[in-house]
Amino acid sequence: MSDADHPGSAQRIFLVFQMAKVASRSWSSLLHREFPDALVSHFHAISPTRISKIESLVAAEPPIQTIKHLTLPRLGRPQPHIMDYVAQGRWIGPPVTVVTGIRDPVARAISAVGFLCNRLGYERFPVTPRDGGTADNILTVFHRALSVARGQDSGGDTLITLLAGIIRDYDLWFAEELAPAFDFDITNEAFDHETRALLLNGSHKALIYRMEDLKHPSTCTQLLQTASGFLGKALQQFPAAGQSHETRYQVLYKQATEQLRLSQEALDWFYDNPTVTKFYSHEEISEFRTRWAEL
């Protein structure tokens, strides 16, 4: 690691360390803008188990290797200068502030599938606009990955295995990534529906938010107010997302999202767990179920 990459003793460190597809890019942009002298890093996994799985996926050869365009070489792993502060999945560097999020698990799952299909492509049939992909093909990948995540299918190719792991991570991420890395345990902590956050304080600090609260002016304002007090600086708004280059993908993703419907059994798998009930009310969970239920 170069001297330029080493944080100084007084430099603040923000880790946007969270499960995939919960607005990490929005938080990274905000923190980079508001804290230009801080070290801000964005990644999804540091546990030895997940790092090993990602390395195996990247190294796989055809026919098991079905990722067509390996344009995300780290696939959620930290940059090398961040890994210098990690030993066996534990953070051994200076005190940090972690920003991490949660989301409706079905919305997150279809978002992850759509995003990674677009970025990575699939060797077996087209799933991205540049390859002639369709919403039906994206949904085929989604349902296959969900079957693997639920243990109903063994998988067998790298794209499906990657997506199944991301879907399954929802119920494992806090316990297998956040807790061992920073000694954070949210088991007995409650999400505050008024402040729109769960705040953790110790040798490290963490702010846990819900992605849905970023989408509505009133709840986003409250979340930013909470974050302002927690981070020690007034935060006015998130930077505008620059996604003009993703227009064709967004059309395809919207079609897939509008068409997605799940059985009662699949909805139970997604929503009957303590991670969901910790962060969402019964009324909110009921709305999620209705949104994705078969007609």
Side-chain angles (χ1 to χ4, degrees), residues 41-44 51 54 58 71-80:
S41 182
H42 162 211
F43 53 94
H44 303 302
I51 295 294
I54 293 171
V58 172
T71 56
L72 297 171
R74 288 193 293 113
L75 285 177
R77 293 169 292 180
Q79 303 91 333

Side-chain angles (χ1 to χ4, degrees), residues 7-8 11-15 38-41 82 85 91 93-98:
Q11 185 182 25
R12 294 190 69 175
I13 304 176
F14 294 101
L15 303 180
L39 172 62
V40 179
S41 182
I82 294 298
Y85 289 120
W91 180 263
V96 298
T97 299
V98 177

Side-chain angles (χ1 to χ4, degrees), residues 6-7 34 187:
H6 275 287
E34 298 294 341
T187 305

Side-chain angles (χ1 to χ4, degrees), residues 55-163:
E55 290 173 346
S56 296
L57 290 173
V58 172
E61 299 289 341
I64 294 174
Q65 180 58 269
T66 57
I67 295 175
K68 188 173 184 180
H69 314 288
L70 194 55
T71 56
L72 297 171
R74 288 193 293 113
L75 285 177
R77 293 169 292 180
Q79 303 91 333
H81 67 273
I82 294 298
M83 282 303 293
D84 284 347
Y85 289 120
V86 178
Q88 294 299 308
R90 291 187 60 84
W91 180 263
I92 58 173
V96 298
T97 299
V98 177
V99 177
T100 192
I102 198 77
R103 184 180 185 181
D104 165 13
V106 177
R108 172 184 172 269
I110 187 60
S111 178
V113 169
F115 175 80
L116 287 172
C117 279
N118 181 57
R119 287 296 186 92
L120 302 177
Y122 194 34
E123 289 286 0
R124 296 192 173 175
F125 48 81
V127 293
T128 181
R130 65 184 179 274
D131 295 329
T134 65
D136 284 344
N137 283 356
I138 291 174
L139 289 174
T140 296
V141 170
F142 176 90
H143 288 293
R144 178 82 190 285
L146 177 58
S147 293
V148 174
R150 296 178 62 190
Q152 300 173 328
D153 189 320
S154 60
D157 70 74
T158 55
L159 182 67
I160 297 298
T161 299
L162 172 66
L163 295 173

Side-chain angles (χ1 to χ4, degrees), residues 149-293:
R150 296 178 62 190
Q152 300 173 328
D153 189 320
S154 60
D157 70 74
T158 55
L159 182 67
I160 297 298
T161 299
L162 172 66
L163 295 173
I166 291 172
I167 294 172
R168 190 167 51 241
D169 275 354
Y170 191 93
D171 294 329
L172 305 173
W173 192 88
F174 287 102
E176 295 186 0
E177 292 286 346
L178 189 67
F182 298 99
D183 292 324
F184 289 139
D185 184 359
I186 67 168
T187 305
N188 297 316
E189 303 291 339
F191 179 81
D192 190 327
H193 289 266
E194 292 187 5
T195 64
R196 303 289 170 176
L198 192 162
L199 304 178
L200 302 172
N201 286 283
S203 55
H204 305 289
K205 299 172 59 176
L207 181 151
I208 307 177
Y209 65 92
R210 309 186 310 175
M211 182 173 170
E212 289 79 11
D213 290 329
L214 276 65
K215 297 180 179 181
H216 304 285
S218 61
T219 54
C220 186
T221 297
Q222 179 57 67
L223 174 57
L224 284 172
Q225 181 178 333
T226 299
S228 297
F230 192 64
L231 302 181
K233 184 175 184 179
L235 308 174
Q236 300 301 320
Q237 61 184 3
F238 288 93
Q243 296 183 334
S244 58
H245 64 292
E246 296 183 342
T247 301
R248 293 175 64 206
Y249 154 65
Q250 290 294 338
V251 171
L252 196 60
Y253 167 65
K254 182 179 180 182
Q255 292 173 349
T257 302
E258 290 175 346
Q259 295 173 25
L260 177 62
R261 292 293 181 270
L262 296 173
S263 67
Q264 187 66 43
E265 183 182 11
L267 291 172
D268 290 344
W269 184 84
F270 273 110
Y271 293 110
D272 289 351
N273 69 73
T275 305
V276 175
T277 56
K278 174 177 288 294
F279 290 97
Y280 297 98
S281 67
H282 293 301
E283 292 76 15
E284 289 169 328
I285 295 170
S286 178
E287 290 178 4
F288 292 155
R289 283 178 170 269
T290 299
R291 165 67 181 84
W292 305 110

